[in-house]
Amino acid sequence: SGYPWGSSSGMRAMYAYDPAELAADGPIYIQHLRWRPNGTATDFGPVSYDVRIDLSAGAVSASNLGATFASNHGTNRTTVFNGIFSVPYTTLSGDPKQWPIQVELDTPFYWDPDRGPLIVDLRSRGVVGGGNLATIDGAFNTAQVYRQVHTSDPNATTANFGSGPAQQFG
């Protein structure tokens, strides 16, 4: 989604992926995460982001993702990346587009779908160098992904985007 990759300033975005959405039929190790620009973007990058990513199983169902970030994490919350990563300039083609934003995790994460949704907590401290920031694609054709966002503070404890329950990508 465009949060936090479509902005050059800091923000916090938390996503909850229902196990049914990810079609996980058992526990998996997550070693990297990827994102891609939306269907109208023709190029992306170069850009470098300063980011922290925490993963966990959810303490609540994806559809009940609350505005208080900490309350959504399960007991297995793990910081899987904390630093700067870079994306080279990429000319995009095809449908769907390529996945130029890829973060190799410092710590692989063991996610068991029986323990709840996958929580991806992104704290972008901003762009530390770069050029073209294309809008990033969201999974807006699915009913099983939800998000909460604070649009200007990567260390916020509660979301400020919207006015109510988590935004559903459906």
Side-chain angles (χ1 to χ4, degrees):
S1 172
Y3 297 121
W5 313 120
S7 171
S8 60
S9 61
M11 67 169 45
R12 186 171 184 179
M14 176 178 277
Y15 293 84
Y17 296 87
D18 187 272
E21 178 61 33
L22 299 177
D25 57 2
I28 59 173
Y29 276 100
I30 300 169
Q31 299 180 37
H32 69 270
L33 299 170
R34 298 187 303 173
W35 292 265
R36 63 179 172 210
N38 72 15
T40 61
T42 57
D43 61 346
F44 187 85
V47 63
S48 296
Y49 294 98
D50 183 4
V51 67
R52 173 180 163 174
I53 303 172
D54 292 354
L55 300 181
S56 75
V60 298
S61 67
S63 62
N64 287 320
L65 190 70
T68 303
F69 294 116
S71 67
N72 297 315
H73 279 287
T75 58
N76 64 340
R77 180 179 182 172
T78 305
T79 299
V80 295
F81 185 86
N82 191 10
I84 296 172
F85 74 94
S86 297
V87 180
Y89 176 79
T90 305
T91 301
L92 303 166
S93 61
D95 187 18
K97 302 288 188 192
Q98 299 96 324
W99 301 81
I101 297 177
Q102 179 166 307
V103 180
E104 298 294 330
L105 305 182
D106 296 330
T107 304
F109 181 74
Y110 179 81
W111 176 60
D112 183 349
D114 290 339
R115 291 187 64 189
L118 176 64
I119 301 294
V120 180
D121 187 354
L122 302 158
R123 296 178 190 214
S124 174
R125 295 176 286 244
V127 171
V128 293
N132 183 15
L133 299 176
T135 302
I136 306 303
D137 204 2
F140 285 104
N141 296 320
T142 174
Q144 302 298 319
V145 178
Y146 295 80
R147 75 173 171 200
Q148 290 281 7
V149 176
H150 192 287
T151 58
S152 62
D153 182 358
N155 296 311
T157 58
T158 58
N160 72 350
F161 179 72
S163 58
Q167 182 183 23
Q168 182 180 13
F169 284 19

